[in-house]
């Protein structure tokens, strides 16, 4: 996973309590600062339960999830998805609009076609050509009164994989806050949200993985209240004839997006950081940076296909430690 938080565990009466769990097909790690181990661990447990609940809503692998039901029935008629998933889908569609369609949660059919979850293989051009017209966020129908969503075309499928982990991190942080926690980090497989600081006011330090040396850090950042997400071509990919085929797809072509190795985004919420890192990845280094700059409170950097860095702003570049 691209972001590896590192913590130290000392400072006055306060300690850092941490737990790790496999959820949403990734490693979720939560660390909270507190005086009482029992209260801290209760809060962590509740936050982990919240992430499990999110997975039950948005997973495309769980047949009983709200998203799976929408994908089965959305072309027959509008499906009531509940208020929070409804507004998540609306937020995703707004990012589609802002990114000129680079980000598009209706990529479901082409995500399935490539099958990166089970190793992956190049689809034939004929099949890709048949499936590609099913992709298009403009073909989603909404009914705001019943929080229902439908598909204009039969065969459409949504996939919230580019945003779900970030959204889960945000909701987990809300649970922690409701428990009175003021300093914590929730890392949902590299999509993370930070509040407060470590004991003694020491900032949380997060590391960004080197896209071509897994396990090595490209740089670290000391962060206050913010969210960070990274999209990379090294997360899920296969090689064929010396070409890297990875899981971030260009909705215009149905092919893996070219031009970037990784995109790291800082934003006020992890859902926004997560979606924007995927969008900028698809847009490529130049248009990706312009897109990130266009969004209030959003900043980041791109490692392009030659390994060169592109930044939204110099202040962020100065914050990075290498
Ligand atoms: P990671 O899973 O490494 O955190 P991302 O956040 O970029 O990476 O999400 C990639 C996932 O998003 C893919 O596995 C797929 O489910 C979905 N996806 C792929 N391409 C797009 C796209 N152009 N727009 C929206 N979602 C996408
Ligand atoms: Mg993402």
């Amino acid at each position: 996973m691209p972001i590896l938080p590192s913590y130290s565990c000392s400072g006055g009466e306060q300690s850092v309590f941490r737990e790790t769990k496999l959820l949403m097909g990734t490693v979720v790690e939560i660390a909270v600062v507190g005086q009482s181990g029992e209260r801290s661990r209760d809060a962590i447990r509740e936050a982990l339960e919240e992430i499990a609940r999110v997975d039950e809503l948005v997973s495309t692998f769980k047949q009983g999830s709200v998203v799976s039901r929408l994908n089965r029935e959305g072309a027959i008629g509008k499906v009531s998805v509940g208020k929070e998933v409804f507004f998540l889908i609306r937020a995703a569609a707004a990012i589609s609009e802002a990114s000129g369609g680079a980000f598009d949660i209706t990529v479901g059919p082409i995500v399935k076609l490539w099958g990166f979850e089970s190793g992956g293989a190049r689809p034939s051009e004929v099949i890709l050509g048949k499936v590609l017209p099913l992709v298009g966020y403009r073909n989603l129908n909404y009914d705001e009164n019943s929080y229902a969503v439908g598909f204009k075309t039969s065969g459409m499928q949504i996939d919230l994989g580019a945003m779900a982990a970030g959204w889960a991190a945000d909701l987990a942080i809300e649970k922690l806050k409701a428990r009175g926690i003021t300093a914590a980090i929730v890392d949902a497989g590299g999509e993370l949200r930070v509040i407060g600081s470590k004991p003694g006011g020491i900032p949380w330090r997060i590391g960004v993985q080197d896209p071509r040396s897994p396990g090595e850090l490209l740089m670290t950042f000391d962060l206050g209240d913010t969210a960070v997400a990274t999209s990379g071509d090294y997360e899920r990919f296969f090689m064929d004839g010396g070409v890297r085929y990875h899981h971030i797809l260009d909705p215009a072509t149905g092919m893996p997006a070219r031009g970037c190795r990784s995109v790291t985004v800082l934003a006020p919420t992890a859902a926004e950081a997560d979606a924007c890192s995927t969008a900028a990845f698809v847009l490529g280094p130049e248009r990706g940076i312009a897109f990130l700059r266009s969004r209030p409170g959003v900043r980041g950097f791109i490692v392009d296909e030659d390994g060169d860095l592109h930044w939204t702003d110099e202040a962020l570049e100065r914050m990075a430690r290498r």
Side-chain angles (χ1 to χ4, degrees):
M1 287 296 131
I3 311 246
L4 313 164
S6 62
Y7 329 105
S8 77
C9 302
S10 60
E13 321 92 70
Q14 303 247 300
S15 304
V16 177
F17 300 91
R18 49 196 285 189
E19 242 159 85
T20 304
K21 197 167 180 183
L22 280 176
L23 281 170
M24 303 184 89
T26 188
V27 182
V28 174
E29 181 160 19
I30 299 183
V32 311
V33 177
Q35 282 182 7
S36 145
E38 202 185 323
R39 276 180 53 197
S40 300
R41 274 187 278 273
D42 281 351
I44 291 178
R45 190 172 347 101
E46 224 173 74
L48 288 169
E49 280 166 9
E50 179 72 350
I51 293 175
R53 185 183 72 85
V54 168
D55 196 25
E56 295 294 331
L57 291 174
V58 302
S59 170
T60 50
F61 305 107
K62 297 190 160 145
Q63 292 309 303
S65 76
V66 166
V67 164
S68 290
R69 192 157 50 82
L70 171 59
N71 283 343
R72 279 195 305 272
E73 300 167 13
I76 304 164
K78 289 196 197 78
V79 175
S80 189
V81 295
K83 191 174 179 177
E84 44 183 357
V85 173
F86 183 83
F87 285 111
L88 180 68
I89 292 173
R90 290 292 287 260
I95 292 175
S96 298
E97 200 66 51
S99 65
F103 181 86
D104 193 329
I105 58 166
T106 66
V107 290
I110 48 171
V111 169
K112 286 213 171 118
L113 199 56
W114 281 90
F116 287 100
E117 293 302 324
S118 49
R122 277 197 73 169
S124 82
E125 271 176 38
V126 175
I127 293 176
L128 194 57
K130 280 194 180 134
V131 170
L132 202 52
L134 296 171
V135 178
Y137 68 94
R138 290 205 171 95
N139 293 329
L140 292 171
N141 289 318
Y142 307 98
D143 179 2
E144 198 156 339
N145 296 316
S146 57
Y147 302 124
V149 179
F151 301 148
K152 284 184 194 154
T153 320
S154 164
M156 281 178 73
Q157 305 257 297
I158 68 162
D159 180 323
L160 290 166
M163 210 174 172
W167 189 54
D170 289 331
L171 291 177
I173 285 284
E174 293 312 317
K175 283 283 170 196
L176 295 176
K177 283 182 176 171
R179 280 268 184 167
I181 304 285
T182 55
I185 184 162
V186 174
D187 179 356
E191 275 47 83
L192 61 86
R193 175 97 173 254
V194 179
I195 53 168
S197 60
K198 290 193 287 187
I202 301 162
W204 298 102
R205 175 167 294 180
I206 66 108
V208 179
Q209 203 171 308
D210 183 331
R212 287 296 174 271
S213 307
E216 274 179 53
L217 296 184
L218 194 62
M219 59 187 91
T220 65
F221 291 90
D222 289 347
L223 299 175
D225 288 15
T226 193
V228 189
T230 297
S231 290
D233 68 2
Y234 53 89
E235 291 279 353
R236 264 171 274 160
F237 70 96
F238 63 86
M239 301 295 292
D240 186 356
V243 180
R244 178 184 292 254
Y245 296 92
H246 61 83
H247 72 312
I248 303 169
L249 301 168
D250 184 343
T253 61
M255 298 294 286
R258 297 294 169 205
C260 302
R261 289 180 184 174
S262 73
V263 180
T264 298
V265 173
L266 279 70
T269 69
E272 165 114 26
D274 198 357
C276 287
S277 68
T278 307
F281 191 110
V282 173
L283 288 167
E286 280 77 30
R287 292 193 312 148
I289 289 292
F291 167 74
L292 296 178
R293 282 187 185 140
S294 77
R295 299 192 67 81
V298 172
R299 55 211 305 214
F301 67 92
I302 294 177
V303 182
D304 71 19
E305 60 192 350
D306 300 318
D308 294 330
L309 291 168
H310 304 251
W311 298 84
T312 53
D313 59 283
E314 279 174 21
L316 182 65
E317 192 172 353
R318 281 195 298 273
M319 267 171 65
R321 291 159 194 268
R322 299 185 221 191

